[in-house]
Amino acid sequence: MHGAGVVHRDLNPAPLLLALALALLGSGCTGGVEGTPGAVGVRDPYFPGLGNGGYDVTHYGLKLDVDPAAGRLRGTATITARATQHLSAFHLDLAGLDVDSATVEGEPAAVNRAGKELTIRPDASVDDRMRKGRTFTTVVRYSGSPQTVTDADGEEEGWLRTADGSVALGEPTGSMAWFPGNHHPSDKAAYDIEVTVPDPLKAVSNGQLVARRTEDGRTAYHWRTTEPMASYLATVAVGEFTTEQARTPDGIRLFTAVDPESAAASEDVLAQIPEVLAWSRARFGPYPFTSAGAIVERTGDSTYALETQNRPVFPGPPDTGLLVHELAHQWFGNSVTPKTWRDMWLNEGFATYAEWLWAADHDGVPVGESFDEAYEDDANWAFPPADPPAALDLSDPPVYGRGAMVVHQIRLAMDDDRAFFALVRGWTEKYRHANASTDDFTAYVEEETGQDLTELWDAWLYGGSRPAREG
């Protein structure tokens, strides 16, 4: 998620709201279509009520009308999904905003709410579309003042007000603050996001800008992401940005949006994006998307960087190390996305290791030296990277620094750099635009290397104490 030295937070699970939603689902779905209700939550180890069962979203069409001065938005979410069971009802995650209406397959649907859970009960006339394997479309119209969520450690996510507009940051659960959906990383989808804002403000999101139209002093910006994206990686940034467009030599479209106050200090680092992408491609495999870039806010508008898909958001002018980290996430986290939040070390360990590799290639700092520094840092040994104690710990140092040490231990065990980087490229290819777990990763490494690495996993990935530095 963030670069070295930047610590993030997380929301605590809400078992009371989950219980209320379960009770509501059990009592409120006795009529309507046949079938059974979709599950409340997907039983994530840290957020059991996050996400929803019974369907898989394939596309979000979001139309947002933003009033930054009033801090309000009106939205229409058109959600296309495939039923994975015969559904009598299903859930959407949404925090704070008011639901004005909902339809399923064009027919009005009943909506009940318990905290952050919406229960949608389709009309009986659309029963055939709710059967397993069928695709159905839900339209939710909503409005209100989107929330900024403050976590236990004081960090903020969701919809953040900035000096000249707003920015949406979603990891791990903040995306539900501005649109309804299946907000767990295991359900990735394509997106069309159209945002209307008053001039001279601009609206920047993920993917490619496919249309822009102005009417009566307001401009609608239509962004499209065709590659699958987890909802926590979706963003909308509204502000008086300076924007630039270009292409890399291999055809990747670049779009950068920079707050004018950060423009001068960001120029040299952002100019390195094509170089960083080419360097990363040689080590991690083909770039998994068709567009790239960055969004740079003014210092103080947010307190951390986030690897939002295609163009990371930076809380002020980034340095090169942070740029390398967030662009590495386009492979590790954005393309190869964790199955659950327990697998977050696969994102952060590889992104941190990318920083070490860059420092070795460009700054004369051997990877072993970066490893030694991480090894001596007591903060990296607070818990095993593959088993954080609680949601609050998901962005703590072991997930980053010790996660990178795990990657380096694999490299040492292979004792062949060419084979090691082939292993990494094979990993990003095998799980390109998919979800992967820690178990998937350890099985893949052992299969590809032909080695039994049980001792490595036990000591570095799951061990409770600092192992001896062998090799």
Side-chain angles (χ1 to χ4, degrees), residues 364-377:
V365 180
V367 171
E369 186 174 321
S370 297
F371 178 94
D372 290 344
E373 182 178 348
Y375 182 89
E376 296 299 334
D377 187 350

Side-chain angles (χ1 to χ4, degrees), residues 253-331:
R253 297 185 181 184
L254 299 181
F255 188 101
T256 58
V258 184
D259 186 283
E261 289 193 8
S262 297
S266 301
E267 184 176 2
D268 290 344
V269 172
L270 296 184
Q272 293 181 279
I273 290 176
E275 178 188 1
V276 173
L277 291 176
W279 174 88
S280 300
R281 182 176 64 248
R283 285 146 189 81
F284 311 141
Y287 181 67
F289 305 107
T290 55
S291 61
I295 299 169
V296 183
E297 295 284 359
R298 70 182 68 186
T299 302
D301 279 347
S302 64
T303 58
Y304 55 88
L306 184 63
E307 62 271 20
T308 44
Q309 193 154 302
N310 309 114
R311 54 190 51 85
V313 174
F314 296 98
D319 59 27
T320 302
L322 185 57
L323 179 70
V324 169
H325 184 104
E326 302 303 337
L327 291 181
H329 272 309
Q330 306 306 307
W331 284 264

Side-chain angles (χ1 to χ4, degrees), residues 158-160 166-170 174 178 234-238 306 308 313:
W159 191 269
L160 281 62
S166 56
V167 61
L169 301 177
W178 57 282
T235 190
V236 168
V238 176
L306 184 63
T308 44
V313 174

